[in-house]
């Protein structure tokens, strides 16, 4: 499982090819760099956009909320413990920036400080950003 060799769901959301690694209600767990073990029950489906590459060399990660008609995508500029840019987490299916931020935080342990700035993009701008954006830099912040 650590190597990613397990069955994953494949879905399409507004034309984006997604893979679900951890479904809503399932538990994700691991060990932090400092050796602290963590575990969280997912409040949203978690996975990635296939055929993309994020800053960490893996696909661009996504959380999928309940609002399948949401016109915007909210890109979280996740931070490291030191406060530096880590990677992007895209929030799909959230009706507002506030809902996206709450959804992001609800999938992490209490006290998580990795939520950096958040950029609101239209679905079309998000698709363009996935194709030609610089994943090594923060998405430009609009709010939060």
């Amino acid at each position: 499982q650590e190597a990613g060799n397990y069955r994953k769901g494949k879905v399409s959301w507004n034309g984006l090819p997604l893979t679900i690694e951890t479904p809503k209600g399932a538990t994700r767990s691991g060990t932090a760099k400092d050796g602290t073990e963590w575990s969280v029950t997912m409040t949203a489906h978690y996975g990635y956009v296939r055929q993309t590459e994020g800053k960490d060399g893996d696909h661009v990660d996504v959380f999928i909320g309940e609002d399948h008609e949401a016109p915007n995508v909210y890109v979280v500029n996740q931070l490291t413990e030191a406060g530096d840019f880590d990677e992007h987490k895209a929030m799909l299916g959230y009706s507002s920036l506030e809902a996206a931020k709450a959804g992001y935080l609800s999938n992490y342990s209490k006290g998580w400080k990795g939520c950096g700035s958040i950029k609101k993009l239209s679905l079309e701008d998000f698709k363009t950003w996935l194709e030609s954006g610089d994943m090594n830099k923060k998405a430009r912040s609009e709010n939060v």
Side-chain angles (χ1 to χ4, degrees):
Q1 191 169 353
E2 277 184 40
N5 300 325
Y6 58 93
R7 185 173 221 138
K8 300 171 189 151
K10 295 190 182 339
V11 298
S12 177
W13 185 84
N14 290 315
L16 291 170
L18 306 178
T19 294
I20 306 299
E21 291 180 307
T22 309
K24 179 180 178 178
T27 301
R28 289 187 79 213
S29 59
T31 305
K33 290 179 183 175
D34 67 3
T36 306
E37 292 189 16
W38 57 270
S39 177
V40 65
T41 299
M42 302 303 288
T43 63
H45 296 313
Y46 176 75
Y48 55 84
V49 182
R50 292 192 302 276
Q51 302 165 352
T52 62
E53 185 174 332
K55 182 177 183 266
D56 61 359
D58 291 334
H59 302 282
V60 174
D61 297 327
V62 298
F63 289 97
I64 307 169
E66 299 292 326
D67 186 354
H68 302 291
E69 303 301 318
N72 299 308
V73 175
Y74 298 90
V75 179
V76 176
N77 293 309
Q78 185 167 282
L79 305 175
T80 65
E81 288 182 28
D84 299 319
F85 173 60
D86 179 26
E87 65 177 327
H88 304 101
K89 300 287 186 182
M91 308 302 291
L92 312 175
Y94 292 88
S95 59
S96 67
L97 184 134
E98 293 79 14
K101 182 176 181 181
Y104 170 84
L105 290 171
S106 71
N107 287 287
Y108 289 89
S109 300
K110 188 175 182 177
W112 172 252
K113 302 211 184 310
C115 186
S117 59
I118 301 174
K119 172 70 176 172
K120 178 176 89 173
L121 298 172
S122 70
L123 180 58
E124 291 309 312
D125 286 346
F126 178 68
K127 289 177 180 179
T128 299
W129 178 77
L130 286 173
E131 291 177 11
S132 59
D134 186 347
M135 298 300 155
N136 292 311
K137 295 181 181 177
K138 288 181 181 181
R140 289 181 41 159
S141 177
E142 182 168 293
N143 291 308
V144 181

